[in-house]
Amino acid sequence: MKLYDGGRAPNPRRARIFLAEKGLNISLVPVDMAALGHRSQEIQSLNPLQRLPVLELDDGTAITESVAICRYFEELHPEPPLFGEGALGKTLVEMWNRRVELHFLGPVAAAFRHTHPAMVEWEVPQIPEWGEANRPKAAAFMNVLDDQLAKSTFIAGNQFSIADITLLVSVDFLKPAKIAMPEELTHLRRWHEAVSNRPSAKA
């Protein structure tokens, strides 16, 4: 079993943080995304979308999409539970993970991919107007996140979950996307500091 890894990009990092929280050591195959290594024939044979991470099982099965990879390891190693516990707990984690992906990570990524000069060969066509249009969407959703974190320790309740991992990589992606977190969002800032201090955040 080996995990094709893309370094500091949000989705590869999401899988590594999850593995670290589980205490699992999986063989990593570094792929230089800056050199467009994710578009190589090797990666395309595993994932026609040419995206990372990719988990290749011993029998050759390829699992792509970071949350699907995390789900696979959750099923094999259920402790600690990172997809929630019980019907309500699992539902809330799923809800918040989807919200963060769709309404925050998506807009932040669009702002980065459509405005950063280094992404011109990645995002074809690169549409700067679309990137700029997504900045206020990401900023607006931070208020929703702050309101939720005023009521709970973590984004989906009082237990750390995959939703927090998704949110962490999203917040950290604000800097390269050149989107500022408003100073008044004290709850989101409290959460970010606490989660960033977890050992897994360095994975």
Side-chain angles (χ1 to χ4, degrees):
M1 182 188 302
K2 53 189 174 182
L3 183 68
Y4 290 84
D5 178 54
R8 300 302 293 174
N11 284 314
R13 186 175 173 224
R14 189 156 44 157
R16 291 198 312 275
I17 293 173
F18 189 92
L19 290 170
E21 287 285 339
K22 289 287 186 181
L24 300 174
N25 292 310
I26 304 300
S27 178
L28 296 181
V29 180
V31 178
D32 187 351
M33 295 183 71
L36 302 181
H38 56 295
R39 296 185 180 178
S40 68
Q41 184 59 45
E42 180 182 18
I43 298 302
Q44 185 169 352
S45 68
L46 296 168
N47 183 5
L49 298 179
Q50 300 178 326
R51 299 288 178 91
L52 296 171
V54 177
L55 178 67
E56 185 179 15
L57 305 184
D58 293 339
D59 66 359
T61 300
I63 301 173
T64 66
E65 306 302 332
S66 55
V67 175
I69 290 169
C70 293
R71 170 66 73 180
Y72 178 76
F73 286 112
E74 178 85 353
E75 295 300 317
L76 292 179
H77 306 276
E79 296 295 331
L82 296 177
F83 277 82
E85 294 183 279
L88 180 58
K90 291 178 180 179
T91 300
L92 292 175
V93 169
E94 176 72 15
M95 179 182 78
W96 278 104
N97 194 53
R98 291 287 288 165
R99 283 178 167 181
V100 174
E101 281 188 320
L102 294 171
H103 302 292
F104 192 50
L105 179 55
V108 174
F112 174 75
R113 294 177 70 94
H114 285 276
T115 64
H116 199 289
M119 297 300 293
V120 68
E121 293 184 33
W122 291 41
E123 199 64 48
V124 180
Q126 190 180 56
I127 306 172
E129 294 82 2
W130 176 241
E132 294 299 337
N134 274 277
R135 295 186 192 281
K137 294 180 181 181
F141 195 70
M142 279 190 270
N143 289 295
V144 175
L145 296 167
D146 192 70
D147 289 345
Q148 170 65 10
L149 288 165
K151 300 178 287 187
S152 61
T153 303
F154 298 107
I155 194 61
N158 292 317
Q159 186 173 345
F160 184 85
S161 72
I162 181 70
D164 294 287
I165 297 174
T166 300
L167 183 54
L168 175 61
V169 301
S170 303
V171 170
D172 288 347
F173 205 35
L174 289 173
K175 185 175 181 179
K178 297 182 179 179
I179 301 173
M181 181 190 297
E183 290 292 334
E184 65 269 19
L185 301 185
T186 56
H187 306 294
L188 182 57
R189 289 182 175 277
R190 179 270 306 163
W191 169 91
H192 185 244
E193 181 179 2
V195 173
S196 296
N197 285 327
R198 295 173 77 91
S200 65
K202 299 176 177 61

